[in-house]
Amino acid sequence: MKRRLLVGVTAAAAAWGLLVGCSSSSSTSNQSKDKLVWSMWIAGSSDKAAWQQVANSVSAQGGPKVTIQGAPFNDYFTKLRTQLSTGSAPCVVSIQSLRAANYTDVLRPIDSYAKKGGLDLSEFDTTALNGMKVDGKLYALPYDTGPMLLFYNKDLFKQVGAEEPKPGWTLADFRAAAAKFKAAGKTMFASSVADMNLESMILGYNGGRVIKADGTLDPSNPAFAKGLDWLSSLVKNGTATQASADNDAPSNNFVSKKVGMYLDGPWSLLSQKGKVKFPIGVTTIPTGHTSGPSTFSAGSGFGISKQCGYPDQAFKAIKTMTSQQVLTTLARQGRAFPGRTAAQQTWYDNAHIDGVESVLKTAQKASTPLPGNKQSDQLQQLFSQYGIQAVNGQQSGAETMKSIAGQLGQ
């Protein structure tokens, strides 16, 4: 799940198989009930081969032949919007939960198809399924999901004498660990102004949110502004790095051992484990408030374009593509955390990281889907523009959010 332009989702995207300099194309003009085109982001030849297996599973189960149509991730949604608006739409469409609200005009709600097809939606992870809903209607079947988490360097925590963070740790625990890092002359946390990262940390801190549960914007939320001030205090007291416009800086600083922890999603965990030269740990976002969710979740899935003339066949395809068998295979390959609960154990078993199952289950219970909004792309751009000033202490949280609200027309 990469960006809308989203970071949180940007790092995520790389690990979720977003295309890097690789593309393929298939004509959408000759689709039929026996031959459909699927639009998907793809990263390199091995990634393409894995997704081709997903496409092949449809015909293997008696469904139509599905052909992949790829595009670089940075171009994917721009090209998709053009296709969906000009009559050249693929029948099967890959979509992020964070972007679903932007595509309800060109995607079919699939609730009736699920009912007619006898699909038991309760078999999907609740947060994954809810993330694909807009105004109560389901627009895609999720293939992956995940709450935001903290990845940490076990060696660094041991070196500075800080207790390893347990799932469900609090702000008091966070501060105690930060004090150990500061005493040792080390930086504990990597700052980020990526929207999902920023919003998740503040949600855990005091419940503040700039997008309400119903998807409406609330840039004047005072708790969110106070959350920005808290993140700024972490930079000021040396607990966190300065925020940067480089979206990859937090991950890179973590890999190079410059920080003890950073925020990411389970979609990046196995990829990061392969990069680092130290034992990697994972834990929940520290909580300061006593009730309500303390982290956001997001995911991706497969929907059906309104222009598709074969919606029943397309639904049969996405039903197979998100089946337990297919998602278990993807989990076994170390891909994103499955959107079906029955396939998640395979991912846990494949991770080989101490405590990862307990952490993820704890985080899932404490998570809520980050709703999409038609101005979400603009909001992320404004966080990149103004959020750096707030986190780095150049402007107060209230002043920052006032500027952002003005830009959003609020």
Side-chain angles (χ1 to χ4, degrees):
M1 175 196 66
K2 202 172 176 175
R3 315 174 65 164
R4 313 177 271 231
L5 298 175
L6 289 167
V7 190
V9 183
T10 296
W16 278 17
L18 302 180
L19 184 82
V20 179
C22 167
S23 68
S24 60
S25 62
S26 285
S27 172
T28 59
S29 61
N30 61 349
Q31 293 182 102
S32 69
K33 67 178 182 178
D34 298 318
K35 183 179 180 181
L36 304 177
V37 174
W38 165 30
S39 184
M40 179 61 182
W41 50 82
I42 308 167
S45 57
S46 61
D47 190 53
K48 182 180 179 181
W51 290 122
Q52 187 61 56
Q53 289 179 13
V54 173
N56 293 344
S57 70
V58 178
S59 56
Q61 293 297 318
K65 179 180 178 181
V66 176
T67 305
I68 299 176
Q69 180 188 74
F73 185 80
N74 289 337
D75 299 329
Y76 175 79
F77 286 100
T78 300
K79 291 184 176 181
L80 179 65
R81 169 57 71 176
T82 300
Q83 284 184 310
L84 295 177
S85 303
T86 60
S88 58
C91 270
V92 178
V93 178
S94 299
I95 196 76
Q96 297 171 327
S97 61
L98 299 169
R99 292 178 181 268
N102 296 330
Y103 286 84
T104 56
D105 60 320
V106 287
L107 293 178
R108 293 176 182 266
I110 60 174
D111 305 82
S112 62
Y113 295 96
K115 184 176 181 179
K116 183 168 61 175
L119 179 61
D120 186 356
L121 294 176
S122 68
E123 294 178 354
F124 287 89
D125 184 285
T126 301
T127 55
L129 203 65
N130 288 342
M132 291 300 173
K133 293 180 179 179
V134 180
D135 296 330
K137 297 178 180 179
L138 183 65
Y139 283 89
L141 294 181
Y143 77 82
D144 74 347
T145 187
M148 294 303 292
L149 304 164
L150 283 168
F151 299 179
Y152 68 93
N153 182 329
K154 285 176 170 281
D155 282 349
L156 267 181
F157 267 75
K158 183 177 181 180
Q159 180 182 331
V160 303
E163 183 178 348
E164 285 194 30
K166 296 179 175 62
W169 69 326
T170 66
L171 278 178
D173 300 323
F174 182 86
R175 294 189 188 102
K180 294 287 186 179
F181 270 81
K182 186 173 183 179
K186 303 286 185 181
T187 304
M188 186 172 82
F189 180 67
S191 296
S192 172
V193 293
D195 54 354
M196 192 168 177
N197 299 28
L198 196 68
E199 292 173 60
S200 293
M201 284 297 289
I202 293 175
L203 186 70
Y205 171 67
N206 66 359
R209 52 191 301 166
V210 73
I211 302 180
K212 296 180 181 179
D214 63 2
T216 57
L217 292 176
D218 186 20
S220 299
N221 181 277
F224 191 84
K226 290 179 181 178
L228 284 174
D229 291 335
W230 169 64
L231 292 174
S232 176
S233 74
L234 299 183
V235 175
K236 185 177 181 179
N237 67 25
T239 295
T241 62
Q242 286 206 331
S244 166
D246 180 2
N247 297 329
D248 295 323
S251 172
N252 292 338
N253 285 337
F254 179 70
V255 172
S256 61
K257 305 179 184 180
K258 293 180 180 179
V259 296
M261 58 174 26
Y262 86 109
L263 200 67
D264 210 329
W267 45 81
S268 296
L269 183 55
L270 301 188
S271 173
Q272 285 294 71
K273 179 188 173 187
K275 291 179 184 178
V276 301
K277 304 300 181 184
F278 51 81
I280 191 170
V282 60
T283 191
T284 55
I285 289 175
T287 56
H289 60 94
T290 56
S291 63
S294 57
T295 187
F296 284 114
S297 64
S300 294
F302 310 128
I304 304 170
S305 65
K306 280 187 176 179
Q307 293 185 23
C308 177
Y310 315 97
D312 290 321
Q313 288 78 12
F315 183 78
K316 185 173 183 179
I318 67 174
K319 181 180 178 181
T320 299
M321 291 160 62
T322 56
S323 65
Q324 181 180 340
Q325 179 180 354
V326 170
L327 297 191
T328 297
T329 298
L330 291 175
R332 191 173 294 117
Q333 294 171 350
R335 293 182 175 273
F337 191 65
R340 274 184 176 267
T341 53
Q344 291 173 353
Q345 189 59 51
T346 299
W347 189 92
Y348 291 133
D349 295 341
N350 185 69
H352 299 296
I353 295 174
D354 290 343
V356 67
E357 183 171 352
S358 174
V359 169
L360 256 172
K361 287 182 176 179
T362 300
Q364 283 179 289
K365 289 179 181 178
S367 73
T368 186
L370 177 59
N373 180 281
K374 294 187 183 300
Q375 290 182 283
S376 290
D377 284 354
Q378 185 183 4
L379 177 62
Q380 165 55 30
Q381 292 163 3
L382 292 170
F383 276 142
S384 297
Q385 181 179 354
Y386 294 103
I388 292 175
Q389 299 173 15
V391 174
N392 290 343
Q394 299 162 341
Q395 194 175 46
S396 72
E399 292 170 331
T400 297
M401 294 315 297
K402 183 177 180 180
S403 297
I404 289 177
Q407 293 291 323
L408 292 170
Q410 299 284 312

